[in-house]
Amino acid sequence: MVSNVNIIAPDLSPNTDGIHVQSSTGVTIKNTVIKTGDDCISIGPGTRNLWIEKIQCGPGHGVSIGSLGRDFNEDGVENVTLINSVFSGSDNGLRIKTWARPSKGFVRNINYRNIVMNNVENPIIIDQNYCPNNQGTSATPIAMAFDCSPSNPCSGIKLIDIKLTYMKSTKAQSFCKNIGGTSGGVILPNNCL
C-alpha cells in the first residue's frame, strides 16, 4: 500500500513517473499528491486488482495504463479502479496507450468514478497507435479521444455521466476511431460512439 505520500518533480522533467506499478496484484494507492514531468501513475503489464483513490495529479501526464504491446508475449492489465480523485493542469487525465502492433496483452475491467478534471488538455484518451519519442506541443479542444486500431478495435467502452468542457469559448469535442460501446446519462462533449 502507498498512502499519504507527496511526490514532486519539475513539470518538464522527462521520465519522472511518480509511481509505476507492473507485474503486481492487489496494490492500493490512496491519499497521495503527485506532481511530476511524466505519468503521475503508470500501470504496466501484469497489473491486476489495482485500487487507486483520493489522489491529486498535476502537473504530469495523468494516470496511464501502458504503454502496452511492446512485446508480443506480454501480460495484460485488469481490474483497475480509480475513484474520488482530482487532475489539475495535467497533459492527460485518464489514458490507455498501446503500441500499434500484435500482442497477447489486453486491458479489461477498468473503472473510473468521481473524477474531477481542472484544465486538463486530454481528459480521457485511448491511443492504440502509441509511438513514444515524438516531441512537440498540442492544446486542442478534444476532451475525449479514442484512437483504436482497425485490426483490434476498442470494444465494451461505457461512457456514463461525463461532463467535460473546453476552457475557451468553443465547445469541447470527442474523437472516435474503431470503437464500440454504450453511453448513458449526460455526456459532454457529445460522444462519438
Side-chain angles (χ1 to χ4, degrees), residues 57-183:
C57 171
H61 295 178
V63 172
S64 296
I65 296 175
S67 64
L68 301 175
R70 182 174 181 192
D71 299 316
F72 181 76
N73 288 317
E74 192 171 83
D75 287 336
V77 172
E78 63 184 329
N79 304 327
V80 175
T81 300
L82 169 60
I83 63 170
N84 303 327
S85 296
V86 177
F87 293 74
S88 298
S90 55
D91 295 341
N92 303 299
L94 311 172
R95 176 166 72 158
I96 300 172
K97 55 185 179 176
T98 65
W99 289 65
R101 63 176 90 174
S103 172
K104 291 183 178 180
F106 57 86
V107 176
R108 63 177 165 234
N109 196 23
I110 309 301
N111 296 289
Y112 304 119
R113 295 189 307 268
N114 195 26
I115 307 297
V116 175
M117 303 282 180
N118 295 318
N119 195 27
V120 173
E121 287 185 31
N122 302 296
I124 300 171
I125 183 168
I126 295 177
D127 183 359
Q128 282 188 316
N129 295 300
Y130 178 74
C131 180
N133 302 321
N134 291 324
Q135 297 183 3
T137 60
S138 175
T140 70
I142 304 293
M144 292 189 296
F146 303 97
D147 183 9
C148 302
S149 108
S151 61
N152 192 17
C154 300
S155 62
I157 304 296
K158 295 179 184 177
L159 303 175
I160 301 171
D161 294 325
I162 296 173
K163 298 174 188 169
L164 298 169
T165 58
Y166 182 43
M167 296 295 291
K168 298 188 179 178
S169 60
T170 59
K171 289 177 61 175
Q173 301 171 20
S174 61
F175 168 81
C176 292
K177 182 176 169 186
N178 303 310
I179 183 172
T182 60
S183 62

